[in-house]
Amino acid sequence: MTRTTFPRDVRDAVTPRATLMVLGAIALHLLFVASYVGALHDPRPKDTPFGVVAPRAAQTAARLDRLPGSPLDARALADEATARRQILDRKIYGALVVHPAGTTDTLLVASGGSAAMANALVDLMTAVERDQQRTLRTVDLAPDSDQDFNGLTSFYLVVGWCVGGYLCASILAVSAGARPSAPRRAAIRLLVLALVAVVGGLGGALIVGPALDALPGGTAALWGLGALTVFAVGATTLAFQGVFGIIGVGLVILLVVIAGNPSAGGAFPFPMLPPFWRAIGPALPPGAGTWAARSITYFDGNALTGSLLVLSAWALGGIVITMLAAALHARRTGGPRPAGHG
């Protein structure tokens, strides 16, 4: 019997490929901690779009703009009807309506868009009004559901859809090779993913709607959003796998989970995030999906176009890159391999 040494056992047990993958896993989990803590450890409003309706609205807006830390990006509005419309169109997060005939002013908010932001605006404007020897009355134009604690259901729903997308694509890679060996097989994977997206989108919409009554209405629209979100993330995963092989799964986790989830505006909206996460959030699937889900649920579908274009761009880009990567791989390897190899 051949005797082995401990160093040789280590080399046999932990191959260079496994070593690289373990190092990659360490990097991912440290990035996970850094991203989530960096984005969420100190939320505070910064340059939040905010309306002002007052006899001297421009002067009042300028005064609010000069608050310490610049929490507001205040702009003068013509009247209360305009302020209400802009809040429901998701152009601003809130508005102060000054009533000069009395000592009580009105703060308009929409907790359905973000309960954290609504609460932050109430605290901020209560202090501002107190300094002016005035009081504040708050009106919530789009209140979140009693079953939607802190307005987080939309975020968790979208996270579930994103997980479904990259898990489905990853399973296809594990079962039949990360890189499909021909465009036809890549197309089949995309078709399978589309079917999964339709089922997953419907399932998520039914769970948060009729099953748990966590989000009010919009089941059909949420189904469409869910199908698009699952497919966008899944197609992106297939594209990364087609270009980078199995490492592509890790890159998608970096993109969607590590960068995308804390920047999605779930727990805290974009103006309450640090600059880096605020900048990338709307352009990534979790952020676009969360914004769209809240628009569908609480704002009658207003301000949907941008987020749907973002998700569609990820979906289309995933399709194109997946097909191109498969064609290049087939050219390099001389065509499809036998069945069971992608």
Side-chain angles (χ1 to χ4, degrees):
M1 177 182 292
T2 303
R3 296 182 61 185
T4 61
T5 62
F6 180 74
R8 182 173 179 177
D9 287 340
V10 171
R11 286 195 300 270
D12 290 341
V14 185
T15 65
R17 174 185 172 87
T19 300
L20 289 175
M21 294 183 72
V22 168
L23 291 175
I26 293 172
L28 283 177
H29 93 249
L30 293 178
L31 286 170
F32 183 99
V33 173
S35 183
Y36 277 71
V37 175
L40 307 176
H41 77 288
D42 186 25
R44 59 183 66 192
K46 178 72 173 178
D47 296 326
T48 305
F50 187 79
V52 176
V53 179
R56 294 188 177 91
Q59 295 179 12
T60 303
R63 176 168 57 85
L64 294 177
D65 276 340
R66 293 192 297 269
L67 289 174
S70 186
L72 301 178
D73 175 14
R75 68 280 309 267
L77 300 178
D79 49 40
E80 183 174 343
T82 301
R84 287 173 174 263
R85 185 169 60 253
Q86 289 201 10
I87 291 172
L88 293 177
D89 287 342
R90 307 199 73 183
K91 294 179 179 178
I92 57 178
Y93 284 86
L96 176 67
V97 181
V98 176
H99 304 290
T103 59
T104 299
D105 299 325
T106 301
L107 173 66
L108 305 175
V109 295
S111 61
S114 170
M117 177 59 79
N119 293 333
L121 289 177
V122 169
D123 292 342
L124 176 65
M125 297 313 300
T126 297
V128 169
E129 291 285 280
R130 187 185 305 117
D131 290 342
Q132 300 294 317
Q133 286 80 50
R134 299 180 68 83
T135 57
L136 193 68
R137 178 178 72 97
T138 301
V139 176
D140 196 339
L141 300 180
D144 53 5
S145 166
D146 292 339
Q147 303 299 315
D148 181 14
F149 178 73
N150 277 348
L152 291 174
T153 300
S154 296
F155 171 60
Y156 293 139
L157 174 62
V158 171
V159 168
W161 281 332
C162 290
V163 170
Y166 68 73
L167 276 183
C168 175
S170 301
I171 288 169
L172 290 172
V174 170
S175 64
R179 293 185 175 96
S181 56
R184 182 178 62 183
R185 294 181 181 176
I188 291 172
R189 290 187 180 186
L190 288 167
L191 287 173
V192 171
L193 178 63
L195 292 174
V196 170
V198 170
V199 175
L202 176 60
L206 291 176
I207 289 171
V208 301
L212 298 179
D213 196 28
L215 293 180
T219 300
L222 285 176
W223 178 10
L225 173 64
L228 178 58
T229 302
V230 173
F231 186 82
V233 174
T236 299
T237 305
L238 290 177
F240 273 75
Q241 291 171 175
V243 175
F244 300 105
I246 197 65
I247 295 175
V249 176
L251 295 177
V252 169
I253 291 174
L254 174 64
L255 182 73
V256 175
V257 178
I258 294 175
N261 285 354
S263 66
F268 305 108
F270 300 131
M272 295 184 74
L273 298 176
F276 172 74
W277 288 269
R278 184 189 315 171
I280 66 172
L284 296 177
T290 300
W291 177 276
R294 286 174 173 164
S295 289
I296 289 170
T297 302
Y298 293 115
F299 297 91
D300 295 325
N302 296 334
L304 266 179
T305 303
S307 55
L308 293 182
L309 287 175
V310 168
L311 292 169
S312 298
W314 283 103
L316 180 60
I319 293 171
V320 171
I321 295 174
T322 297
M323 297 303 294
L324 287 176
L328 290 173
H329 184 65
R331 182 178 300 177
R332 286 197 304 267
T333 59
R337 290 171 293 183
H341 293 275

